[in-house]
């Protein structure tokens, strides 16, 4: 899929249900196994609900970005948030059947660019479940560095899903935004 076929824009409130459904399809349940970003072996339950997405869309400190394809509709999304001195990147999802077509790269680059435009930050960070080594490797190939910092998984908070294991932890990755501002 070429960048010319995809328009990246800021999400609006009417996108909330479609974004929540996309994130769920990309990460949870059997439908997520079509793509390679599934967390189905690690977590059950919801990744995010419509209200959670709506809150992110209406946030004063961040934006939700969506990628829309003329024929396929909403095909990717992410959030960026100002967390001075850095920007945070999260809620990243690509339609499972379209994973591997270059949409992830397009969306990630758009998010980095937008964060650099919006906020006076010099880097962007994210958290990835440590067991997701193939996903961590994908980010490293795109210039992200493993910082060595970890953050605990929020066990007991169903907003993050229902863990299928007791050893989950987040790895922090970061990338310089020099040249994006």
């Amino acid at each position: 899929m070429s960048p010319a076929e995809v328009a990246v824009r800021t999400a609006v409130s009417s996108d909330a249900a479609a974004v929540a459904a996309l994130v769920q399809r990309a990460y949870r349940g059997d439908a997520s196994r079509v793509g390679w970003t599934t967390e189905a072996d690690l977590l059950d339950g919801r990744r995010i609900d419509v209200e959670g997405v709506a809150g992110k869309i209406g946030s004063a400190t961040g934006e939700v970005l969506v990628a829309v394809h003329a024929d396929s509709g909403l095909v990717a999304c992410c959030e960026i948030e100002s967390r001075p001195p850095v920007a945070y990147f999260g809620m990243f999802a690509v339609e499972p059947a379209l994973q591997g077509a270059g949409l992830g790269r397009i969306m990630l680059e758009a998010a980095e660019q937008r964060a650099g435009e919006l906020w006076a930050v010099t880097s962007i960070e994210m958290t990835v479940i440590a067991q997701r080594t193939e996903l961590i490797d994908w980010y490293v190939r795109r210039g992200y560095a493993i910082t060595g910092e970890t953050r605990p998984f929020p066990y007991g908070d169903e907003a993050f899903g229902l863990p299928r294991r007791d050893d989950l932890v987040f790895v922090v990755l970061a990338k310089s935004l020099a040249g994006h501002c």
Side-chain angles (χ1 to χ4, degrees):
M1 193 169 286
S2 77
E5 298 173 359
V6 177
V8 177
R9 63 171 173 79
T10 301
V12 295
S13 60
S14 60
D15 293 319
V19 169
L22 171 61
V23 172
Q24 188 70 16
R25 279 193 309 278
Y27 289 97
R28 302 289 164 76
D30 288 336
S32 70
R33 295 182 191 280
V34 172
W36 65 274
T37 63
T38 184
E39 295 173 345
D41 294 328
L42 302 174
L43 297 154
D44 291 320
R46 289 221 158 269
R47 174 80 184 256
I48 193 164
D49 59 19
V50 175
E51 293 77 21
V53 172
K56 291 176 183 297
I57 289 172
S59 171
T61 60
E63 282 189 359
V64 174
L65 302 176
V66 294
V68 181
H69 184 268
D71 297 329
S72 304
L74 196 145
V75 293
C77 66
C78 70
E79 74 169 308
I80 53 173
E81 184 180 350
S82 176
R83 293 184 183 176
V86 303
Y88 179 79
F89 174 82
M91 200 177 68
F92 186 31
V94 174
E95 187 63 52
L98 298 175
Q99 291 176 12
L103 286 169
R105 179 185 45 77
I106 291 167
M107 199 73 207
L108 185 61
E109 289 173 0
E112 293 166 356
Q113 182 70 37
R114 184 71 175 142
E117 292 169 359
L118 287 174
W119 306 300
V121 295
T122 58
S123 65
I124 189 166
E125 74 173 25
M126 67 179 74
T127 56
V128 180
I129 295 173
Q131 288 79 0
R132 302 294 320 281
T133 56
E134 72 289 348
L135 186 56
I136 292 168
D137 291 345
W138 187 85
Y139 287 120
V140 168
R141 289 192 303 273
R142 276 140 195 89
Y144 284 79
I146 300 168
T147 66
E149 180 185 354
T150 60
R151 296 185 184 152
F153 186 86
Y155 285 95
D157 185 346
E158 290 187 18
F160 289 88
L162 305 170
R164 299 182 78 179
R165 324 170 36 146
D166 63 2
D167 63 344
L168 301 178
V169 63
F170 291 111
V171 173
V172 179
L173 295 111
K175 180 179 182 178
S176 171
L177 289 178
H180 281 290
C181 305

